[in-house]
Amino acid sequence: LPYLVMEYVQGDTLQHWLDDRPPGDTAARSAETIARIGGAMALAAHSIHQQNVCHLDLKPANVLLRPDGSVVLLDFGLSCHAHYPDLLAEEMRQAVGSPTWIAPEQVVGVRGDLRSDIFAIGVMLYEMATGELPFGSPTTQGGMRQRLWMTPAPPRKYRPDLPQWLQEVILRCLE
């Protein structure tokens, strides 16, 4: 019988990290920790982008934090490769992805833009820093479309102790 064999990767998901650190626990959510994890996520995304792959479903449940500080991206079910046919795009005409983290271009049906992954990293950084989601948790197409014109509140509104540089990084990812 055919079967799949995959490497076992130790670590916890970013979702577990978020669940274990209440939003008010600023010591556990330090700027240095957020920057370290964010840098590791960016490095992992850059690595797949260098291979002409766009993940398109980055979210805390799909980011594994290894004990050594590196990040492993999981679940490439919605991803696309720049040099191969995008069969999922041909099959689905609506936005595909997790509504909380989906990028504006995905909302209007554009797939394969590497900036979509950067946007999702920005949403995760925002949640790590503030305990809030920059665009809420939309459940309708109209709710998802809000991110086409809505500007999220600056993270320092929720967390004044956050360094200005980290806020700028987060907001740049969400542009």
Side-chain angles (χ1 to χ4, degrees):
L1 293 173
Y3 59 93
L4 292 174
V5 176
M6 293 182 280
E7 172 188 9
Y8 175 76
V9 181
Q10 285 189 317
D12 286 323
T13 65
L14 181 57
Q15 187 61 60
H16 287 116
W17 187 93
L18 288 166
D19 293 343
D20 290 345
R21 288 155 187 82
D25 188 353
T26 56
R29 292 173 180 250
S30 71
E32 292 76 23
T33 301
I34 294 166
R36 181 179 50 75
I37 294 171
M41 285 191 294
L43 185 61
H46 178 69
S47 176
I48 65 168
H49 293 169
Q50 292 291 91
Q51 299 172 60
N52 297 306
V53 174
C54 189
H55 190 284
L56 296 175
D57 196 24
L58 289 180
K59 58 186 176 183
N62 289 343
V63 174
L64 190 71
L65 306 173
R66 285 183 160 169
D68 68 0
S70 63
V71 162
V72 176
L73 303 181
L74 309 173
D75 190 359
F76 283 78
L78 297 180
S79 66
C80 67
H81 191 284
H83 302 302
Y84 298 110
D86 188 0
L87 301 177
L88 189 59
E90 293 176 18
E91 189 175 306
M92 307 288 282
R93 296 293 177 212
Q94 292 182 338
V96 179
S98 301
T100 301
W101 299 276
I102 196 170
E105 57 274 8
Q106 287 175 269
V107 172
V108 296
V110 175
R111 289 177 41 84
D113 190 328
L114 303 179
R115 293 173 295 181
S116 299
D117 290 343
I118 296 169
F119 181 88
I121 289 171
V123 174
M124 290 185 281
L125 290 172
Y126 193 102
E127 184 178 8
M128 291 170 66
T130 67
E132 303 288 332
L133 293 167
F135 303 99
S137 294
T139 57
T140 64
Q141 189 71 14
M144 287 193 304
R145 283 186 159 298
Q146 283 185 332
R147 70 195 62 208
L148 298 174
W149 54 267
M150 188 173 133
T151 303
R156 288 171 50 109
K157 174 183 176 194
Y158 298 106
R159 186 147 166 226
D161 67 316
L162 203 66
Q164 182 70 30
W165 62 264
L166 183 54
Q167 174 174 277
E168 292 305 314
V169 168
I170 293 169
L171 293 176
R172 176 75 174 159
C173 289
L174 295 175
E175 282 187 8

